[in-house]
Amino acid sequence: MAKQTNQAYENSNLFRIRHSTAHVMAEAVLDRFPDAKIAIGPAIDDGFYYDFDLPRALTPEDLSEIEKRMKHILKGNHKFEKEVISAEEAKKFFADQPFKLELIEGLESGGLDEHGNPLEEKPEISLYKSDTFVDLCRGPHVESTKEINPKAIKLLSVAGAYWRGDEKRPMLQRIYGTAFENPEDLKEYLWKLEEAKKRDHRKVGKDMELFSVSQEVGPGLILWHPNGGLIRHLTEEYCKKEHLANGYDIVYSPHIGRANLWETSGHLGFYNENMFSPMKIEEDEYYAKPMNCPFHIMIYNSKLHSYRDFPIRLAEWGTVYRYERSGVLHGLLRVRGFTQDDAHLICREDQMPEEIDEVLNFCLHILRHFGMNEFHAYLSTRDPEKSVGEEKDWLAAQDALKAALERANLAYDIDEGGAAFYGPKIDLKMIDALGREWQLSTIQFDFNLPERFDMTYIGEDGQPHRPMMIHRALLGSIERFMGVLIEHYGGAFPVWLMPVQVKLIPIADRHVDYSHEVAKQLKKAGLRVEVDDGNDRMNAKIRKAQLQKVPYMLIIGDQELEAGEVALRLRSGENPGPMSVETFVERALKDIEELV
RNA sequence: GCCACCGUGGCUCAGUUCGGUAGAGCAAACGAUUCGUAAUCGUUAGGUCAUGGGUUCGAAUCCCAUCGGUGGCUCCA
């Protein structure tokens, strides 16, 4: 049940509009910078871009001038005309366009697409001409610029981008823009972008005092504030309970280990550039751990194992440190120190398929508890160029992963050759508020470490055998997971995770004592409660509670005081009104139970 | 790491074009108000304008460097 590539989009009118708008943009850029070297300009999910080598950096003013020029060009009703030519002719035509020459050579020499990836068959070489602009392009395009509404296009940003995505090659200037079929769609898209920014976990994290990053502490290192700390604690608590109930053993391991360990594991060889520099202790070097596996393996290796012991599942909320290049850090989603809900499943070969099934279902069970039902699943397979282990083991493992995905009824994409050198894997990725994908869960085979650490067990035959090892993280990193979770709910977490579940709002001072009394009862029932006994007006207190996304507001005035009740208001704006304290508690506990 | 942009009280932002040694709102503290479903009023306090250097009689403003952030690119076992 592999997921379809998005053919529908590529065949759509919208796709042609965007691709054609990219050409018009290139024309406008060439009008402004006649010596510009043009690279590639495809349509992408939300719009299009075009890469240029320009004599100077683009300014925001350039962008609006280019956009103005584009609108002018669009009004010209220029036809997009295709012409198929030979490689020779194409080279002559693009003699002063080095990037195009490279593209032509790629097409000619057996077929590389514009990103440098091999094509199945050698393509024809075609030009598309519209107005004064001619581009090497396979199309398709709209018939004429009149099909593009000048009011439905917008240039969005400038960014650096390496030619052919290779950091050793020149950096070009990429202009991102978007285009829609009509101005309303554009407006809606821009509005959605604005709305998405409001859900950004960095903004919500600050507003709700969940976490912070301090320059003093260091970039990519997270400080969890009381509110975020509580949510994290509840998350961990739930997950640990589930792990214990599902056959896992909880272990703990230190944050550093001797160089020797990392040599055996191979990390110093293949992961070195992501590790923090070592510290010297007495005569030995120690490294902060970038992964937990070696420690778990040491626990396994600390005694002799029988084939009857399996499966062994060692789980740890292990904090790891990885050096990430400064430019890639991003709030909670990409950090330098994070805690994985890590586990290593060690089993016999014959147990492996069932083990995969179980862990995948367990993973889905956990994610769904947090309201996450939509993710992209990927199966990453072997790259024969760089892989350890026997091919037959790989194929068996890949089949097991595939079968598990299908039994779980999950749509997935295959990332051909995308596996790490030590084993195939399943990844689950979630999207953030701005549509960027972030990997959370991962289930991966490891054909490398059991070998390196000489892990063994004694089989039925009395002989030593090598066990299989699966490395898995379900939330992935708790930091990243919390980031995605914050954006998923826009900060309005389900009641069970909300730091303050109930806000009591006394209308006047004479209601304060009763409010505290009610609060005491609610706390006794296990609810997290605050009384807003400041001297704001009720409206202001409600507003504050709304902004904090508190699920339940209990208004307490003369009527409630007299009747011994509370008047409930929900963060949705719904107003169930007065009820007894017991009725409210019942309702709240039910909501918590049902993950509302 | 690379390209571009940005950094002003706890937060959001004005002031930077054209140099003349900071201003608002929210939050806070205090006082008044005691109010029925999204902002009551007043007073006060709070900033070496990211850091370091330079130009200048004078720098938040111009220049250089560093640190940090944002959007991309690369990377992401």
Side-chain angles (χ1 to χ4, degrees):
Chain A
M1 210 172 68
K3 211 186 294 175
Q4 301 279 315
T5 52
N6 206 343
Q7 275 297 323
Y9 175 53
E10 289 187 22
N11 291 327
S12 70
N13 186 42
L14 185 59
F15 187 86
R16 286 198 298 279
I17 285 177
R18 287 171 174 172
H19 189 182
S20 304
T21 309
H23 279 219
V24 173
M25 179 170 79
E27 178 179 339
V29 169
L30 283 171
D31 286 347
R32 196 170 175 79
F33 302 96
D35 294 331
K37 304 301 175 209
I38 56 175
I40 60 169
I44 52 176
D45 280 356
D46 289 325
F48 60 86
Y49 67 80
Y50 211 115
D51 289 346
F52 306 93
D53 185 16
L54 300 171
R56 64 168 172 83
L58 287 167
T59 63
E61 294 76 57
D62 286 322
L63 222 57
S64 60
E65 285 304 314
I66 291 165
E67 189 176 304
K68 219 180 274 174
R69 177 76 191 140
M70 286 169 70
K71 292 182 182 198
H72 178 79
I73 295 168
L74 286 175
K75 287 181 186 142
N77 189 16
H78 306 291
K79 294 249 182 298
F80 281 87
E81 287 168 310
K82 182 179 180 179
E83 187 186 343
V84 177
I85 59 171
S86 71
E88 279 316 303
E89 290 170 307
K91 279 189 199 164
K92 206 179 285 173
F93 188 86
F94 289 110
D96 61 347
Q97 288 291 352
F99 303 117
K100 294 296 177 192
L101 288 176
E102 193 174 328
L103 292 175
I104 294 163
E105 264 157 39
L107 295 172
E108 192 187 6
S109 70
L112 291 179
D113 70 7
E114 63 271 32
H115 305 287
N117 301 317
L119 290 165
E120 287 186 7
E121 54 188 277
K122 194 167 160 176
E124 64 178 20
I125 293 177
S126 60
L127 302 181
Y128 268 87
K129 181 176 185 305
S130 62
D131 195 18
T132 63
F133 182 68
V134 184
D135 203 358
L136 177 75
C137 181
R138 68 168 172 271
H141 285 280
V142 294
E143 288 282 312
S144 149
T145 57
K146 78 166 178 215
E147 288 175 44
I148 302 170
N149 187 332
K151 289 189 179 135
I153 68 162
K154 187 168 175 60
L155 299 189
L156 299 171
S157 61
V158 185
Y162 300 108
W163 167 236
R164 292 217 146 157
D166 183 346
E167 67 178 320
K168 293 189 184 67
R169 309 207 58 180
M171 179 158 273
L172 309 174
Q173 295 189 67
R174 171 173 297 179
I175 305 179
Y176 281 98
T178 193
F180 286 87
E181 291 183 334
N182 54 63
E184 292 72 44
D185 287 358
L186 172 64
K187 227 171 125 189
E188 192 191 327
Y189 171 74
L190 296 174
W191 180 80
K192 273 189 190 159
L193 274 187
E194 288 306 308
E195 287 300 300
K197 280 185 197 153
K198 293 183 195 161
R199 275 189 292 141
D200 190 309
H201 73 280
R202 292 163 300 185
K203 177 175 163 48
V204 174
K206 195 183 267 179
D207 289 348
M208 293 180 70
E209 296 177 41
L210 301 179
F211 69 93
S212 67
V213 186
S214 147
Q215 194 166 329
E216 302 280 296
V217 176
L221 302 170
I222 306 301
L223 297 169
W224 291 98
H225 293 24
N227 289 339
L230 179 67
I231 297 173
R232 173 174 171 156
H233 165 75
L234 293 167
T235 301
E236 291 190 16
E237 187 179 54
Y238 165 75
C239 289
K240 282 183 181 164
K241 210 179 79 212
E242 289 300 300
H243 275 73
L244 288 172
N246 281 275
Y248 285 80
D249 295 315
I250 302 234
V251 299
Y252 291 88
S253 66
H255 287 216
I256 59 172
R258 283 170 63 180
N260 197 26
L261 178 73
W262 304 108
E263 258 157 40
T264 306
S265 70
H267 285 90
L268 282 183
F270 63 78
Y271 203 69
N272 193 256
E273 56 189 42
N274 277 296
M275 291 169 72
F276 280 106
S277 306
M279 58 198 101
K280 198 153 189 195
I281 301 171
E282 292 177 345
E283 283 316 298
D284 284 322
E285 286 194 329
Y286 285 73
Y287 285 85
K289 63 175 171 181
M291 296 185 200
N292 304 300
C293 357
F295 299 97
H296 292 188
I297 292 171
M298 296 318 288
I299 292 171
Y300 176 87
N301 276 356
S302 68
K303 67 172 198 177
L304 203 57
H305 290 278
S306 148
Y307 69 97
R308 297 167 189 274
D309 293 349
F310 298 126
I312 290 174
R313 308 188 183 101
L314 302 177
E316 172 176 15
W317 284 60
T319 303
V320 298
Y321 295 90
R322 297 181 184 176
Y323 165 68
E324 300 281 3
R325 299 208 276 179
S326 55
V328 307
L329 300 173
H330 183 92
L332 292 176
L333 298 178
R334 189 85 182 265
V335 293
R336 286 184 175 155
F338 57 97
T339 302
Q340 294 179 309
D341 62 329
D342 205 359
H344 293 88
L345 316 178
I346 304 165
C347 66
R348 302 186 309 263
E349 202 170 341
D350 62 287
Q351 294 170 312
M352 188 249 289
E354 194 187 332
E355 200 56 25
I356 303 252
D357 257 359
E358 257 184 56
V359 69
L360 183 58
N361 285 325
F362 184 45
C363 180
L364 297 175
H365 163 72
I366 297 265
L367 290 177
R368 284 175 182 148
H369 192 79
F370 291 92
M372 297 189 164
N373 296 301
E374 278 176 43
F375 21 74
H376 289 165
Y378 293 86
L379 172 64
S380 299
T381 61
R382 180 166 179 258
D383 176 357
E385 300 290 306
K386 46 164 193 144
S387 62
V388 300
E390 302 293 320
E391 187 178 359
K392 71 166 176 47
D393 293 337
W394 276 78
L395 292 178
Q398 285 168 197
D399 283 346
L401 292 173
K402 202 180 288 184
L405 280 165
E406 283 172 14
R407 273 193 295 268
N409 213 11
L410 271 184
Y412 62 95
D413 283 328
I414 295 186
D415 184 358
E416 204 69 56
F421 74 91
Y422 52 76
K425 59 174 179 169
I426 292 173
D427 290 330
L428 298 186
K429 301 188 185 189
M430 320 269 315
I431 57 168
D432 71 7
L434 288 173
R436 295 175 288 215
E437 274 194 358
W438 297 94
Q439 180 187 315
L440 297 182
S441 319
T442 187
I443 298 172
Q444 41 195 106
F445 271 85
D446 194 326
F447 294 128
N448 184 235
L449 290 180
E451 199 73 35
R452 283 179 169 270
F453 281 97
D454 194 24
M455 294 166 75
T456 56
Y457 68 91
I458 305 301
E460 235 171 324
D461 56 5
Q463 297 301 309
H465 296 269
R466 186 83 67 221
M468 308 231 78
M469 187 167 86
I470 295 159
H471 178 108
R472 49 112 281 193
L474 306 188
L475 307 182
S477 112
I478 183 66
E479 281 74 9
R480 176 175 288 183
F481 179 77
M482 293 280 292
V484 171
L485 194 72
I486 291 166
E487 303 199 353
H488 184 72
Y489 287 113
F493 297 100
V495 182
W496 75 281
L497 283 173
M498 211 62 203
V500 177
Q501 297 167 316
V502 187
K503 184 78 96 177
L504 285 146
I505 300 181
I507 291 176
D509 284 351
R510 61 181 178 280
H511 311 126
V512 167
D513 285 346
Y514 173 64
S515 298
H516 281 289
E517 246 172 69
V518 174
K520 216 179 269 174
Q521 287 181 57
L522 299 180
K523 281 179 193 162
K524 224 174 245 171
L527 295 167
R528 293 185 289 273
V529 184
E530 274 179 8
V531 179
D532 187 347
D533 54 11
N535 55 4
D536 280 322
R537 292 173 51 186
M538 179 203 67
N539 279 325
K541 291 180 181 176
I542 289 178
R543 184 179 146 81
K544 272 189 202 161
Q546 283 286 157
L547 291 175
Q548 290 164 22
K549 304 179 168 68
V550 177
Y552 309 109
M553 285 156 263
L554 298 180
I555 316 294
I556 292 173
D558 289 336
Q559 294 161 32
E560 287 72 27
L561 182 59
E562 213 166 300
E565 295 188 326
V566 293
L568 175 62
R569 176 193 161 106
L570 305 177
R571 61 184 163 188
S572 62
E574 253 176 286
N575 205 341
M579 61 183 72
S580 71
V581 177
E582 294 71 42
T583 309
F584 168 70
V585 168
E586 220 167 275
R587 172 175 183 145
L589 293 180
K590 185 159 165 278
D591 285 350
I592 289 168
E593 183 66 33
E594 291 174 0
L595 306 176
V596 170

